[in-house]
Amino acid sequence: MARLHEYQGKAILAANGFKIPRGKAATTIDEALAVAKEVAGKKGGEVVIKIQAWTTGRAGIGGVAFAKKTEDVRAYAARMLAMKV
């Protein structure tokens, strides 16, 4: 069985013609904020931030967050990047 992070699986699906939600992996807070601004577009809007870990129950450990404004991404990304999963 292949072990892929969500972003890796999405890339494979997209390369094979499947429509997937926009998004990218980020390894820093600034990258996460830039991706959120890109995904939300000029009008802004809610974005989802997720840890990329080979585990189930990411939401239950605080690894999934819904940012109503792109400014909220900074705090979520800082918390998630500091997590030890």
Side-chain angles (χ1 to χ4, degrees), residues 34-49:
V35 170
K37 287 178 180 178
E38 179 184 326
V39 170
K42 291 182 181 185
K43 294 174 79 176
E46 187 174 59
V47 295
V48 182
I49 302 98

Side-chain angles (χ1 to χ4, degrees), residues 6-74:
E6 182 177 350
Y7 76 93
Q8 293 168 318
K10 284 182 169 184
I12 292 169
L13 291 171
N16 286 283
F18 289 88
K19 288 189 171 224
I20 59 162
R22 293 181 303 150
K24 294 179 184 173
T27 58
T28 68
I29 296 167
D30 288 337
E31 284 179 1
L33 192 56
V35 170
K37 287 178 180 178
E38 179 184 326
V39 170
K42 291 182 181 185
K43 294 174 79 176
E46 187 174 59
V47 295
V48 182
I49 302 98
K50 300 178 183 180
I51 60 170
Q52 296 297 294
W54 291 327
T55 185
T56 57
R58 291 181 294 175
I61 61 170
V64 177
F66 296 85
K68 300 262 185 222
K69 299 177 278 185
T70 53
E71 300 85 43
D72 298 336
V73 171
R74 185 175 300 282

